[in-house]
């Protein structure tokens, strides 16, 4: 490819609309252009990178035994009603009607479509296991699309779905896909981590997320200092503390006229924040399905984990209690709530750390008052439930018993789920087993955000001058730059010869023959992130050398032809 014949439109200014590095650099490099909120046109340059990612994904999926098909982006309402997700999926589901008033959605995911395909195509256990994958554009109507293609409304995704006659087969394919994802992200030259994760709206029994590590990542990841354990903070387990100490204080009232937070109360009393207990008032349901007032307790220096809390019986659809409900059950106002002597019976859910506390401080259910020296079994009954309902913190013991937890930021680019039979049961997808009886196959789901990988790679690989692509993702591996102000035919011939030789050796090379001044030419090549730059000039030819610089290097080198070809892997 010759840049004189290629549409490359870079800009010097940082676009005002861009918030994160990848969005800024993709706009400056001319990789994308905004069409509407969360919708982008991919330029020829951007598309070259996107296709490099697609190629790696396809080749590794094919090598792993998956088969590619192509599913529609527009999906009928009836399929989504079968699984109950037409309403449950929420506002992210873009619903549309055709001229006959039939309802559809622009697919945000493809569980319904693939299960419908399978129930019409698969009839016998002999056809299983099977793994179908699809690389297709998806649409989710984000409330606030931002960060460019990182959180766009329309995005390119590889989603794969496997079908199995038993759970053992599903577990084997889950591991196969887990390993395949590791090969994909390693091949793309990314620093990543696979972490335990929540199954979320997709559902299932097991789940791992794959995160590209970057300081700008939206997700907090917890990892062990001495093992491979890693998990999304929303799932990382906080281990139980040691046994509860004996009570050493009498319960007493503390005037806190303006102190409503644990931090303020601890400061007033001159005690560590860890001795206070935070009370969160919720509304859930009881065993009979009736509304139930719940008080969730965590230590003052901890944060309630909403995902963990929602997994407790009766709290799957919980919400925060209103001030009226709080007054009815506790006779107080927010800021002074506590589990001691409520007005009405309530359910107390205590975090493991709170259940192990003695002589702690809580609200007194009276405006301007807290209670100190509170102890379980003496001043209030033992909690109804003791569970892990908090976020882990730095220094917590690792759940696998090896080392302590630290934190990193990550950008989710892949997710594998063991779905089980949630969708095959909902959509009556069956095959005949070896005895001729109909069984519902277990399913796995494996997604990769192809377009998001492009942005995530930039977040991880950039400097003040622009993008630094891993070689497998770069639009071209090598840029041959021609400096020829005198239009010397020897310079042009040498550059052309090198350009052709590198491409013939299988090295994806672009020839920058635009005739720009060196400063502007090099700025463009650095901005768009080409890993290797080779300069052909009159002075270099006279010395029998080429100027070579790796994108990450601080200085250029002079290499003769043999050394250059060896450096680029063409010798």
């Amino acid at each position: 490819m010759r840049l004189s014949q290629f549409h490359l439109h870079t800009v010097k200014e940082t676009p005002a609309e861009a918030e994160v590095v990848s969005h800024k650099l993709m706009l400056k490099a001319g990789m994308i252009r905004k069409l509407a909120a969360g919708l982008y046109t991919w330029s020829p340059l951007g598309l070259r990178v996107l296709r490099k990612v697609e190629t790696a994904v396809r080749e590794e999926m094919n090598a792993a035994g998956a088969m590619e098909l192509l599913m529609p982006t527009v999906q009928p309402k009836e399929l989504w009603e079968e699984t109950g997700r037409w309403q449950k999926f929420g506002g992210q589901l873009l619903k549309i009607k055709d001229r006959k008033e039939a309802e559809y959605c622009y697919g945000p995911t493809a569980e319904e479509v693939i299960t419908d395909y399978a129930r019409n195509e698969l009839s016998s256990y002999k056809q299983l296991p099977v793994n179908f994958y699809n690389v297709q554009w998806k649409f989710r109507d984000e409330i606030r699309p931002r960060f460019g293609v990182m959180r766009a409304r329309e995005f390119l995704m590889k989603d794969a779905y496997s079908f199995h006659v038993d759970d053992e087969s599903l577990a084997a394919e889950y591991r196969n896909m887990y390993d395949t994802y590791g090969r994909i992200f390693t091949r793309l030259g990314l620093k990543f981590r696979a972490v335990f994760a929540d199954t979320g709206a997709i559902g299932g029994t097991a789940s791992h997320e794959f995160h590209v590590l970057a300081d700008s990542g939206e997700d907090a990841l917890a990892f062990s200092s001495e093992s491979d354990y890693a998990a999304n903070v929303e799932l990382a387990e906080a281990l139980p503390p040691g046994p509860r100490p004996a009570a050493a204080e009498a319960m007493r009232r503390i005037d806190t006229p303006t102190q409503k937070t644990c931090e303020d109360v601890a400061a007033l009393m001159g005690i560590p924040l860890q001795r206070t207990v935070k009370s969160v008032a919720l509304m859930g349901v009881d065993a009979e399905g009736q509304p139930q007032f719940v008080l969730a307790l965590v230590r003052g220096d901890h944060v309630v984990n909403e995902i963990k809390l929602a997994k407790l019986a009766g709290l799957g659809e919980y919400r925060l209690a209103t001030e009226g409900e709080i007054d009815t059950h506790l006779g107080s106002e927010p800021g002074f709530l506590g589990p001691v002597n409520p007005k009405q019976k309530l359910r107390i859910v205590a975090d493991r750390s709170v259940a192990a506390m003695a002589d702690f401080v809580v609200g007194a259910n009276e405006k301007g008052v807290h209670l100190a020296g509170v102890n379980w079994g003496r001043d209030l009954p033992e909690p109804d439930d003791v569970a892990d309902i908090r976020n882990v913190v730095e220094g917590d013991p690792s759940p696998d018993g090896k080392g302590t937890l630290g934190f990193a930021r990550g950008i989710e680019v892949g997710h594998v789920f063991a779905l089980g039979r949630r969708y095959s049961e909902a959509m009556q997808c069956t095959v005949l087993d070896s005895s001729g009886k109909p069984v519902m196959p277990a399913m796995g789901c494996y997604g990769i955000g192809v377009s998001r990988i492009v942005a995530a790679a930039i977040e991880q690989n950039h400097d003040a001058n622009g993008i630094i692509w891993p070689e497998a993702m770069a639009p071209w591996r090598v840029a041959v730059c021609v400096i020829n102000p005198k239009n010397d035919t020897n310079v042009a011939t040498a550059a052309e010869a090198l350009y052709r030789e590198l491409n013939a050796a299988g090295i994806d090379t672009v020839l920058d023959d635009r005739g720009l001044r060196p400063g502007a030419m090099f700025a463009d090549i650095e901005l768009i992130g080409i890993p290797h730059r080779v300069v052909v000039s009159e002075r270099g030819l006279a010395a029998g050398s080429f100027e070579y610089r790796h994108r990450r290097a601080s200085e250029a080198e002079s290499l003769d032809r043999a050394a250059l070809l060896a450096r680029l892997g063409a010798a």
Side-chain angles (χ1 to χ4, degrees), residues 69-76 79-80 96 104-117 133-139 154-155 157 159 161:
L69 47 64
L70 186 62
M71 293 180 278
T73 57
V74 176
Q75 305 174 7
L79 292 183
W80 283 73
I96 54 181
Y104 298 84
C105 67
Y106 192 126
T109 183
E111 285 77 25
E112 284 80 3
V113 175
I114 195 65
T115 307
D116 179 69
Y117 179 79
Y133 79 93
N134 169 77
V135 181
Q136 183 60 285
W137 291 94
K138 303 289 194 296
F139 187 95
E154 186 181 50
F155 53 94
M157 182 177 178
D159 43 353
Y161 300 91

Side-chain angles (χ1 to χ4, degrees), residues 211 286 295 457 532:
H211 287 258
D286 62 19
L295 207 59
H532 306 277

Side-chain angles (χ1 to χ4, degrees), residues 476-481 509-512 525 530 532-535:
W476 301 278
R477 282 187 59 205
V478 179
V480 174
C481 298
T509 303
V510 66
L511 180 65
D512 193 343
I525 298 303
I530 309 302
H532 306 277
R533 186 187 77 197
V534 180
V535 176

Side-chain angles (χ1 to χ4, degrees), residues 7 61 74 115 214 234 287 328 363 380 413 421 467-469 514 521 534 551:
H7 178 74
M61 288 297 293
V74 176
T115 307
E234 68 187 15
T328 297
L380 75 166
V413 292
R421 293 169 176 80
I467 302 165
I468 308 176
W469 289 117
R514 294 175 294 167
M521 182 188 305
V534 180
R551 180 62 180 81

Side-chain angles (χ1 to χ4, degrees), residues 17-37:
E17 67 188 85
E19 300 176 68
V20 295
V21 167
S22 59
H23 194 190
K24 294 174 182 177
L25 291 179
M26 291 182 78
L27 288 171
K28 289 183 70 174
M31 292 180 63
I32 57 172
R33 291 292 181 252
K34 182 179 176 180
L35 178 64

Side-chain angles (χ1 to χ4, degrees), residues 345-363:
K345 181 175 175 55
L346 52 83
R347 177 184 175 189
I348 296 177
V349 177
D351 182 68
R352 290 167 170 174
S353 59
V354 173
M357 291 175 69
D359 302 324
F360 52 90
V361 176
V362 294

Side-chain angles (χ1 to χ4, degrees), residues 261-305:
T261 67
C262 289
E263 290 81 1
D264 289 345
V265 172
L268 175 71
M269 297 180 63
I271 61 173
L273 185 59
Q274 293 90 326
R275 288 190 58 189
T276 66
V277 170
K278 187 185 308 179
S279 302
V280 181
L282 311 168
M283 290 301 297
V285 295
D286 62 19
E288 285 72 43
Q290 298 300 309
Q292 181 183 55
F293 188 87
V294 179
L295 207 59
L297 308 179
V298 295
R299 216 168 65 185
D301 59 327
H302 290 160
V303 175
V304 171
N305 183 306

